[in-house]
Amino acid sequence: MGADDRIERAGALYERAVFGGDADAVAAADRELDAVEADLSLARGRVAHARFLADGRREAYEPGLFERAAELYRSLGDVRGEAEALFWIGCFHQVVRNDDTAAVPVLEQSHRRAVRAGDALTASYSLRHLGIAEHRAGRLGAARERLEESTRLRREAGFLPGVAANLVGLAYVTAGEGRRDEALRLLDEAGSIAGSSRADGVLRQVQEARSRL
């Protein structure tokens, strides 16, 4: 159900409460509007994050939006929505604040809830960023395990730009293990997938990785 449908339904519930005397309709209307607010908070937070990636500008309200979304999804019993909001909280800590200590527990919660909800795409995002944390900590084997599982989920979901991005990460891990030729092959595959998917941002990551490896 989209936001417009939920708002329309909340209006109908208002009418039912005021003119029909149905006291339960008030709580039902609140739930409809909570779902709209949760979706909007998550969407605004993601846009704020995109702005940070584009120009480095931090928006002080970004984490609050994700936290509000997680709170609302939790109150609604929406495990899938909560998993996604938790991922973004973890991503904010890791990417914006460069704080894996704060990020990892939240990303792990996100992954558990995503698996429970059957949301393979959110699970793949959480695993990717858990792999990044492992890589930063120098645990290359654990990083590879996380990234390979994330990549498997993304291939199954047909999320090709995400597959390419993960292959870049795996190339860095592989190079760190002393297997540069294999790392370059991974970058070849990443470049091919990114090119066919018109994922220019990932192509730039591939080029940067080649220059560094």
Side-chain angles (χ1 to χ4, degrees), residues 157-201:
F159 180 31
L160 295 181
V163 170
N166 276 3
L167 291 174
V168 175
L170 282 166
Y172 280 115
V173 171
T174 302
E177 293 170 333
R179 292 179 286 136
R180 185 174 181 276
D181 288 346
E182 183 179 341
L184 292 174
R185 285 195 293 272
L186 287 167
L187 290 178
D188 286 342
E189 183 182 1
S192 176
I193 294 172
S196 64
S197 304
R198 299 184 178 178
D200 292 343

Side-chain angles (χ1 to χ4, degrees), residues 189-212:
E189 183 182 1
S192 176
I193 294 172
S196 64
S197 304
R198 299 184 178 178
D200 292 343
V202 180
L203 278 173
R204 287 192 290 272
Q205 294 175 24
V206 171
Q207 292 162 3
E208 179 183 354
R210 285 190 185 282
S211 69
R212 296 177 65 176

Side-chain angles (χ1 to χ4, degrees), residues 4-91:
D4 289 346
D5 293 330
R6 290 190 181 280
I7 292 170
E8 184 177 345
R9 181 164 165 73
L13 287 163
Y14 158 80
E15 298 280 345
R16 206 164 84 193
V18 172
F19 299 108
D22 183 354
D24 292 338
V26 174
D30 275 336
R31 287 194 295 273
E32 296 291 348
L33 295 176
D34 282 348
V36 174
E37 184 182 348
D39 290 347
L40 180 59
S41 294
L42 187 64
R44 283 197 181 281
R46 291 177 63 180
V47 169
H49 191 77
R51 187 176 297 115
F52 170 79
L53 295 178
D55 60 21
R57 191 191 338 166
R58 295 190 182 193
E59 302 287 7
Y61 58 79
E62 181 184 340
L65 289 169
F66 294 139
E67 289 161 4
R68 178 61 174 160
E71 175 189 352
L72 288 168
Y73 286 130
R74 191 177 304 118
S75 71
L76 293 165
D78 184 343
V79 178
R80 179 184 290 264
E82 185 187 1
E84 187 175 359
L86 286 170
F87 162 73
W88 284 106
I89 293 169
C91 184

Side-chain angles (χ1 to χ4, degrees), residues 101-118:
T101 300
V104 166
V106 187
L107 292 169
E108 288 175 340
Q109 289 180 52
S110 169
H111 180 250
R112 287 193 295 270
R113 283 163 176 75
V115 170
R116 177 180 159 195

